[in-house]
Amino acid sequence: MVNSATSGVVNVSNQMINAIQAQDADLAYSLMTSEAKATIAKDDFDGIIVQIGPILNTEEKMLNKSVDSETGKPSSGQVTYSIKGTDGIDYNFEINLQKEGDNWKVLNFDSTKK
């Protein structure tokens, strides 16, 4: 049951991590929520992807996934990955998602050193 409830969240977060690793800023930006796009200019977003893409371009391991659906609020989800960066540092990479209409979109993401 958990896998079917989180499958949409996992699918979009996997697309996002793959787009970042491929430095495909256009695809990554297209996966963002309207709210997220309103907070960062496309050029600034492109710069972030170009900066972090090469470092996070190794195999990722999903650590956890969750979905939260409350009445009266948009559904939200979170997927956390472990990635050993090309710089030799281990990172936790967290992707927060939100439902926009029928589609899951990325609200934001963050990487922290373990």
Side-chain angles (χ1 to χ4, degrees):
M1 181 81 167
V2 170
N3 282 339
S4 66
T6 60
S7 64
V9 168
V10 169
N11 182 36
V12 173
S13 63
N14 283 341
Q15 288 178 51
M16 176 58 87
I17 196 82
N18 291 335
I20 291 169
Q21 290 172 330
Q23 298 179 55
D24 187 343
D26 291 337
L27 175 57
Y29 198 72
S30 76
L31 297 170
M32 302 295 287
T33 63
S34 301
E35 180 181 340
K37 289 177 183 178
T39 64
I40 186 165
K42 174 78 166 63
D43 288 345
D44 293 337
F45 183 83
D46 291 356
I48 292 168
I49 301 304
V50 168
Q51 182 181 9
I52 67 172
I55 296 168
L56 300 177
N57 194 12
T58 60
E59 188 172 338
E60 70 279 352
K61 177 184 175 191
M62 188 180 305
L63 297 177
N64 62 50
K65 57 189 175 184
S66 65
V67 170
D68 184 20
S69 298
E70 277 185 52
T71 304
K73 289 176 60 176
S75 296
S76 61
Q78 183 180 75
V79 180
T80 304
Y81 300 89
S82 173
I83 302 173
K84 182 164 187 79
T86 57
D87 58 1
I89 298 171
D90 291 326
Y91 294 91
N92 279 343
F93 192 81
E94 184 177 280
I95 300 176
N96 295 298
L97 301 101
Q98 186 172 309
K99 200 101 182 239
E100 270 191 354
D102 293 334
N103 300 312
W104 284 103
K105 294 283 190 166
V106 175
L107 184 61
N108 56 48
F109 55 84
D110 188 36
S111 64
T112 54
K113 295 177 184 178
K114 283 190 186 179

